Amino acid sequence: MHKLLILSKRADEYCGLVEAARLPQLSMCAATDPAALAAEAFASDLVFGDPSAVARVLPRLDGVRWVQATWAGVEPLLDPALRRDYILTNARGVFGPLMSEYVFGYMLAHERRIIEKYETQKERRWDPRHPGTLRGKRLGLIGVGTIGAALARTAKHFGMHVSGYTRASEDCPDVDVYFHGDDLTTFVSSLDYLVAIAPNTLATRGLVDARVLSHLPSSAVFINPGRGSIVDESALAEALANGRLAGAALDVFQAEPLAPESPLWTLPNVAITSHTAAISFPEDITPLFVANYRRLLAGEPLRYRVDFEQGY
């Protein structure tokens, strides 16, 4: 018999969905606040929850064997001070459509001049300026995992050319050309849009720095719905303020919430959202836990296992 602890801000929803799956050999307890856990919860051998909440109680979960994260990013659980004597799996394969909505929503808004057209509408002023089009534009993806592959597939619907920058893999058929290693500046040099969706690792932190930004065409737009750690925010703000970039759409930041004094807030060519590009919906995430639990019972390897050293 396995005992499952569900620990999430949306614990009630997750609990209901897991119960509906009628999984055998499983008892459950659930909480929205780590501080409110009953003593018996710490006897759980399985955990399904938000990484930030799970990290707070992990040292007290002596018998934990497996943690299924509700997020794609598991940074709170990668703290070197925390234990690593368990299997950690994350959420993958479910965020691609949501990320596509976010990225292409802002790309289309830029091309079709949606905000500018609305401003002229408010002024009751006819604006005959022609919009742009995504057709034929060059999209660059830093990271081509499941999310990157979804973006590449959507780009092909709009007739875009897709370049991918990855550590090594070249598995996505919708990417026209791949770049690796020292080819980063060559990769960005002819892009219309640069989108960062790589994981937070030692290799990706600060990857988009002043040097990389200086090689982007001045007409390019940078979109970051992935990890705030990938970009040098000071260099980005300077490039945007000086017209070295046409614009940016930013959902994630080095420190969140973004400080009120950050110059990014007031730049006219920046759109800021608050880490909401692709949130975890329980109805999307629960099937990942259910499928992995069935694999656990069958003695099969769990899917989407995180390598603690690589960080994903």
Side-chain angles (χ1 to χ4, degrees):
M1 191 75 175
H2 293 286
K3 185 169 184 178
L4 172 66
L5 167 61
I6 297 178
L7 186 55
S8 169
K9 292 179 180 178
R10 305 179 74 170
D12 291 343
E13 295 174 73
Y14 281 115
C15 192
L17 290 165
V18 173
E19 285 178 343
R22 300 184 180 277
L23 298 173
Q25 305 175 43
L26 185 68
S27 64
M28 288 188 294
C29 59
T32 58
D33 183 358
L37 284 180
E40 58 266 23
F42 294 100
S44 302
D45 62 321
L46 309 179
V47 180
F48 180 23
D50 304 341
S52 58
V54 175
R56 290 173 57 186
V57 300
L58 188 61
R60 298 180 62 189
L61 294 167
D62 295 333
V64 67
R65 295 175 49 193
W66 165 41
V67 173
Q68 171 68 59
T70 58
W71 307 346
V74 291
E75 284 85 353
L77 294 169
L78 300 179
D79 186 335
L82 290 176
R83 57 195 292 188
R84 297 184 172 185
D85 57 344
Y86 64 96
I87 294 173
L88 173 60
T89 55
N90 67 347
R92 299 183 208 176
V94 297
F95 297 113
L98 293 171
M99 284 292 196
S100 288
E101 289 180 10
Y102 181 89
V103 169
F104 284 88
Y106 280 99
M107 288 167 57
L108 287 166
H110 178 74
E111 290 292 340
R112 306 299 297 187
R113 300 178 181 269
I114 289 175
I115 294 176
E116 296 143 273
K117 295 290 186 181
Y118 180 65
E119 291 300 322
T120 58
Q121 175 189 334
K122 290 194 296 183
E123 297 170 3
R124 303 187 184 191
R125 178 164 55 87
W126 189 256
D127 182 4
R129 288 178 301 168
H130 290 186
T133 176
L134 290 180
R135 186 177 64 250
K137 293 296 185 355
R138 303 181 71 89
L139 169 65
L141 302 171
I142 298 180
V144 192
T146 57
I147 292 173
L151 295 178
R153 186 165 57 251
T154 305
K156 286 304 170 185
H157 170 78
F158 287 103
M160 301 182 77
H161 180 279
V162 183
S163 300
Y165 180 84
T166 70
R167 187 167 61 90
S169 62
E170 297 189 3
D171 302 327
C172 178
D174 295 307
V175 172
D176 297 294
V177 58
Y178 279 94
F179 296 83
H180 312 286
D182 295 335
D183 290 338
L184 184 56
T185 53
T186 303
F187 159 70
V188 304
S189 63
S190 61
L191 298 179
D192 297 293
Y193 294 93
L194 174 63
V195 180
I197 29 87
N200 176 24
T201 68
L202 287 174
T204 63
R205 287 170 200 160
L207 190 66
V208 180
D209 57 13
R211 182 178 68 96
V212 170
L213 293 169
S214 71
H215 281 78
L216 272 168
S218 59
S219 58
V221 172
F222 175 62
I223 303 176
N224 188 12
R227 293 291 177 266
S229 59
I230 201 170
V231 63
D232 180 334
E233 288 178 6
S234 296
L236 177 62
E238 183 178 353
L240 289 162
N242 293 338
R244 279 289 305 123
L245 284 182
L250 308 173
D251 186 59
V252 289
F253 303 90
Q254 293 173 353
E256 297 180 359
L258 182 64
E261 61 270 18
S262 171
L264 293 170
W265 284 112
T266 54
L267 290 171
N269 52 352
V270 176
I272 289 177
T273 52
S274 305
H275 208 143
T276 55
I279 63 175
S280 295
F281 289 104
E283 59 268 30
D284 295 333
I285 307 300
T286 303
L288 302 179
F289 169 79
V290 170
N292 258 345
Y293 182 74
R294 297 190 191 282
R295 295 177 73 88
L296 180 73
L297 292 183
E300 300 173 355
L302 302 186
R303 299 189 69 191
Y304 310 134
R305 184 167 179 172
V306 173
D307 184 312
F308 284 101
E309 295 301 323
Q310 291 190 0
Y312 61 93

